[in-house]
Amino acid sequence: MSSEADAAAKAASLADSDGPTLFDKIVAKQIPAAIIYEDDQALAFRDISPQAPTHFLVIPKDRDGLTRLSKMEDRHKALVGHLMYVAQHVAKQEGLLPGFRVVINDGPDACQSVYHLHLHVMGGRQLTWPPG
């Protein structure tokens, strides 16, 4: 098993705990991050381990039980739509108009390592398919 898979398995074991996530601490400004966008519902910041020349994350500021996409409920529809809007808005702001990729890892088999819904937005080079 890869180190990413090991980390994802460990994170999954803590997924439904009520404690603050790394991203909750970033929202609360308890942990520094290179924030590139913020509004009342969402925060976008640069990934600390970029997989492309431009790689940022978009997160909801209030997790509200949305630890992963598969936990989404009707009440989350507007928020998730807003996160997608923020993703494309910031991608344009970052000059990614030739193209970019949005990824949501859901669960341990997808190597989700933080159980706070987040969108990875990557671009700045030709991306290949299939990923992973």
Side-chain angles (χ1 to χ4, degrees):
M1 197 180 289
S2 72
S3 61
E4 292 88 8
D6 291 336
K10 183 177 179 183
S13 71
L14 304 170
D16 293 319
S17 70
D18 289 330
T21 67
L22 172 69
F23 295 162
D24 289 320
K25 292 176 181 179
I26 289 172
V27 169
K29 310 293 195 281
Q30 296 169 342
I31 294 176
I35 296 170
I36 54 178
Y37 178 88
E38 183 172 8
D39 65 25
D40 61 327
Q41 298 178 74
L43 189 70
F45 53 93
R46 300 206 185 281
D47 194 293
I48 61 169
S49 182
Q51 301 300 305
T54 301
H55 184 174
F56 61 90
L57 304 177
V58 179
I59 66 169
K61 291 174 89 172
D62 180 2
R63 192 171 19 137
D64 186 28
L66 201 50
T67 55
R68 53 193 282 189
L69 189 61
S70 59
K71 297 276 187 171
M72 187 175 166
E73 298 175 8
D74 281 343
R75 74 176 195 264
H76 297 122
K77 288 192 282 190
L79 175 60
V80 172
H82 182 69
L83 297 176
M84 293 296 286
Y85 174 82
V86 169
Q88 67 80 35
H89 175 79
V90 177
K92 288 177 184 174
Q93 176 182 296
E94 293 289 309
L96 299 180
L97 288 179
F100 57 92
R101 181 170 292 159
V102 178
V103 175
I104 299 174
N105 297 320
D106 187 282
D109 282 359
C111 284
Q112 182 177 358
S113 59
V114 178
Y115 280 78
H116 184 136
L117 181 69
H118 55 287
L119 287 63
H120 290 264
V121 182
M122 295 171 274
R125 66 169 166 82
Q126 176 65 57
L127 301 171
T128 59
W129 196 260

